[in-house]
Each structure stands twice: as structure tokens, then as C-alpha cells.
Amino acid sequence: MTDTTTAPPVATGPTVPPPQRPKRRLGDVIFSRLSSGSGFLILIILAAVAAFLLVQAFPALVSSPEVLKTKGYGEFWSWVLPFAFGTVWSSLWALILAVPVSIGIALFITHYAPRRLARTLGYIIDLLAAVPSVVFGLWGTMTLAPATQPVYQWLNTYLGFIPLFGGEASGTGRTLLTAAIVLAVMILPIITSLCREVFLQTPRLHEEAALALGATRWETIKLAVLPYGRAGTVAAVMLGLGRALGETMAVAMVLSGNQVINFRLLTSDNPNTVAAMIAQNFPEASGIRINELIAAGLVLFVITLIINSIARLIISRYSEFSGAN
Amino acid sequence: MSKRIEVKDLNVYYGKFKAVEDATMVIEPRAVTAFIGPSGCGKSTFLRTLNRMHEVIPGAYVEGKVLLDGADLYGADVDPVLVRRQVGMVFQRPNPFPTMSIGDNVIAGMRLNNKRLGKAEADAIIESSLRGANLWEEVKNRLDKPGSSLSGGQQQRLCIARAIAMQPDVLLMDEPCSALDPISTLAIEDLIQQLKESYTIVIVTHNMQQAARVSDTTAFFNIAGTGSPGRLIEVGPTEKIFSTPDDQATEDYITGRFG
Ligand SMILES: Nc1ncnc2c1ncn2[C@@H]1O[C@H](COP(=O)(O)OP(=O)(O)OP(=O)(O)O)[C@@H](O)[C@H]1O
Ligand SMILES: [Mg+2]
């Protein structure tokens, strides 16, 4: 095959017909233009956002600490670090809470629940995704925080020797853990519905292979469903994480965040997140402060980028065994 | 190791639809029994009732008895999971676990039985099973490569190795060669001849020559028309079925005068 295409053209005279150009159909042309156009559009938008962030953040990044101390929020990196920490820390706990539950619900829907219950659950999950984040924020401050406060108090009293639960328990319940729970509830629908789609894709053939070896239902899931869906599950978790990292409204309402690095989950001295901090400070900011806030946004952007790259790395390490070949 | 199967008055259903009606037969140990018949007559369905794989389909159930050396597979206190560990199955399309290495594929079933399989023990089982499936020489240097990196015929033999690693009493094969080329098909047929020394083997095939070549007993299934259940028409020694069958429908089918 390769030989015929790479062989130099031999002068065999008029017996060789001129190569025919494949006929181009209008529908194909329109479709290919449209789809490649959309592809470019996404790149352009991303480039525009990145350019905006870089250009606007630049003055804050190059200003001397003295200038920032008098006109801004202070030296940039030490100022932004607590917020970056708060972002990652709260999102991490949101993931720890949400991922097992999401995978559990997705497995229940795809492999355990009777069909009608599965469909109802699916609708409810999708409905949850449609609730605006302000509503989650209100629910978090007004219902969840007071309701969980006694639990926090209990954890603090009896398990306070574990550093995570140490310190002085918050009297309002508006703690980092509350924020993480709210975030977990918010990212649950997206992780669940993506995982459900992924688990449904498991080839019947592989599940039957496991069953025929005498696997129980859970063993079938471990042998066939979860490994086959590994890449998809990681992608689902990453989308959820992306949402948690960038969530502004709910965190701003639940957390009375400060500029601290505090690993304790139950105190009232909580690190704020980058997104919530920007939203809270932007209305009053002017001059170099605006640049600083935008630079903080750039930091958030970079954090997300790094985490996504790590996820890609994890997926590609297993790609040989992904079942795609 | 090898056990005798007796099927008595078996009806097989998919919900309300009766797919196989009133099947009664004996499957002898240390022999190959072939199921032949037109498409849709219920061969696969019947085969899958022999290791209770039928019931994993929602709404599917059976009536009647299947006895494995006298013990009813459908007894009230019988765990289908344990039945499937005794009665192995090879499918029409090769289905090694794509996320596992060749070696791990072979012992996937063993791992379920015996979680604490030692390394030396695992290696021994991998080698003996792969040798049993005539695959050892081809893969011994790449046991850690994914199962899906093999050719179709090799994958099918890997699936056979995975099934015999469990040391089952019976091996069921549903058209194991239909996705393979003639050379791989011959390799599998040779393998079946070796395996029947130690296992009861049941094979579904659409290939008359294959049934004639590999089997000792042949069972012919037929269907009266769409929507009606499949029936076991005739079962007997393979030479007899292919030379002087009792039933006219059997003769029509094997001589190609069918339908
Ligand atoms: N999962 C299922 N749900 C409902 N009906 C089914 C299912 N699988 C098979 N059937 C029906 O049961 C009947 C027997 O099917 P089966 O697959 O056993 O036939 P077969 O003899 O193996 O055919 P082939 O030679 O084409 O593989 C067919 O009418 C088929 O439509
Ligand atoms: Mg079939």
C-alpha cells in the first residue's frame, strides 16, 4: 500500500489516467467548516482569557513590594498564598466527600437499582445540577451550618486530638468543613452523571466474562466496570474539581474567610478561597488593587491548569491498558 | 474433574417469551458435545442455562432441572456464583479484560476464589494454564503486556486459559471460532481435542465440518417459526447424526437443504 503511493511516477505514457479529484459534497464542506470553526473559536476564547489575565495581572506582578504595601494588599505572593491554599484545601475536602458518594450513586443507578428507580434517581441528580449556587449558599449558611454545629462540637470534644478537628470549634458552624460539604453537594451531580455514562459504556462482553468466572456483582464491578471506566471517572472528577475550585458565590456566603493558612476544619478562623476573595473585594478595589485581584485570578487559572495536567498524566499512564485499543 | 450433565424437561424464558421448550438430554463427561441448528433456535440460550449465566439477563428464568453429577444446579440453596466457578465459559467474541495484563487475565478467576495467591503459585498457574491453552510459547516473554495486545485467535486462547485456570468440571464454548481465521480455528479445535481428556466440553457451532471434526455427540436444535420456542430435535453420536439421522429436519439441515 505504501509502495504504490510513494513510488516515483513512472512515465508510462497516456495509459495512466489523470488522478481524479474526489468529489466534494456541499454538506460535507459546510459541516467540516462549522466543526473546525468551533474548534478554533474555543482556542481563541481561551487565548483571549489568558491574554486578559496576563496583561492585567502584569502590573501587580512586577510592582515592587513597597508600592504594593502602600497602594495594594501587600506583597503579592505572601498575600495570595493563603487564598490559594484555601481554594485547594476546601476543594480537596469537597472531592473527598463527593467522589465516593458520586461513584456509589452512579454504580447503584447502573448496576443495582431497578430500572424505574434508576430513572427517577437520574432525574433528581440532574435537577440538583440545575440549582443555582446562590441557593446552595443560602442553604449552607442558614440550614446546614446550624444543623452541623453540634456535630462539629462533638467531633472537636472527643476527636480533638486529631489535628484536623483540633482548635476551638466554631460557634456558628460556618466552618471550612461546611463549605466543603456545600461544594461537595454542588459537584455531586456532574460527577455522578458523567460516571453513570461512563459505567454504562462498559461492554456487556467484559461484564459477562467476569460473571462467567464466578464473580459476584461487586467483583464484576471491580474486575470489569471500574477499570474500564478509569479514564472517564478521572475526567468526571476533574470536571467536578474544576467547578469546586472556581465556585464563588456559595463559598463567599458560607465561609467567613480570612487571609490565613489553617488546616483545621472546625474553627471559625478559615482560609478564604481565591474566587470568593476576588468577588468580595472587587467592588471596592481600584488602581493597582484591581491588578492584584486579577493576578490572583491568574493564580487560580494556573492551579486549575496544573491539576488538569496531572489528571491527564494519570490517564495516559494507563492508556495502554485502557481497553481503547 | 469432569462431570456429567443431565438436563430434564427444561423450559427457558426471557420474561414472557419462551425461548427453549422441553429440552431433555445427557451430556457425557470426557467428551465433546456439539449444539447445531439454525440461528435463533436457542442454542446460546440453552448453553447459558448450564452455568446459570442465563439469569443475569433481567427477567430471564428457567423451569426444569439441570443436574451436574446428580446435584441440581437450580436447587434452592445453590449459589449461582459457585456454579459458574465449576462450569467455565468461553464466548463467541474473545473478551480478555483489556485493563489487565496477559498474566493477570489468566488468574483473574483464581484471584476471586483465593485472594492470597502467592507469587510463585500464581506464576505456576499462569504457566500451566497457558500451556494448556497452547499459548505459552507465544506469550511467555510478554506476560505483563495488556491482554488486548494479542491477535484475535490468541485472545480466544487466552480466554480458554482463563477458564481452565479455574479447573472447572465443564467448559462451555459458544461459537468460539466464529470470529477467527482458519489457522486459529484449527489451533482451537486441536486444543478442544486435548481438553476433552480432562473436561466435559459443550460447543455451539454453525460450522458443520467443525461439529463433525471435534464432537463425539451432536445435538440438533430447531425452531418452528419466529416467535415459537426452540426445541431439541435430536441428539446422538456425531457419526449417526451426520450419516443417518432419525429426523427429517436434521437431515435437511446438515445436508444444507434447510429452509
Ligand atoms: N437477551 C434476550 N432477551 C430476549 N430475548 C432474547 C435474548 N437473547 C436471545 N433472545 C431470543 O431467544 C431466542 C434464542 O436466541 P439464541 O441467542 O439462544 O439463539 P442461537 O441459537 O444462539 O442463535 P445464533 O446461532 O444466531 O447465535 C431468539 O428468538 C432470540 O431473539
Ligand atoms: Mg448464539
Side-chain angles (χ1 to χ4, degrees), chain A residues 108-131:
Chain A
F108 179 72
I109 290 179
T110 53
H111 286 81
Y112 289 92
R115 206 168 293 171
R116 190 170 312 155
L117 179 60
R119 200 171 317 142
T120 318
L121 258 176
Y123 281 137
I124 293 176
I125 298 286
D126 290 343
L127 216 68
L128 206 58
V131 177

Side-chain angles (χ1 to χ4, degrees), chain A residues 205 208 211-212 214 223 227 321 323, chain B residues 48 81 84-85 95 98-100:
Chain A
L205 220 56
E208 293 209 327
L211 287 169
L223 268 179
F321 285 87
Chain B
R48 289 164 60 96
V81 165
R84 293 179 204 133
R85 291 182 188 180
N95 56 356
T99 52
M100 282 186 200

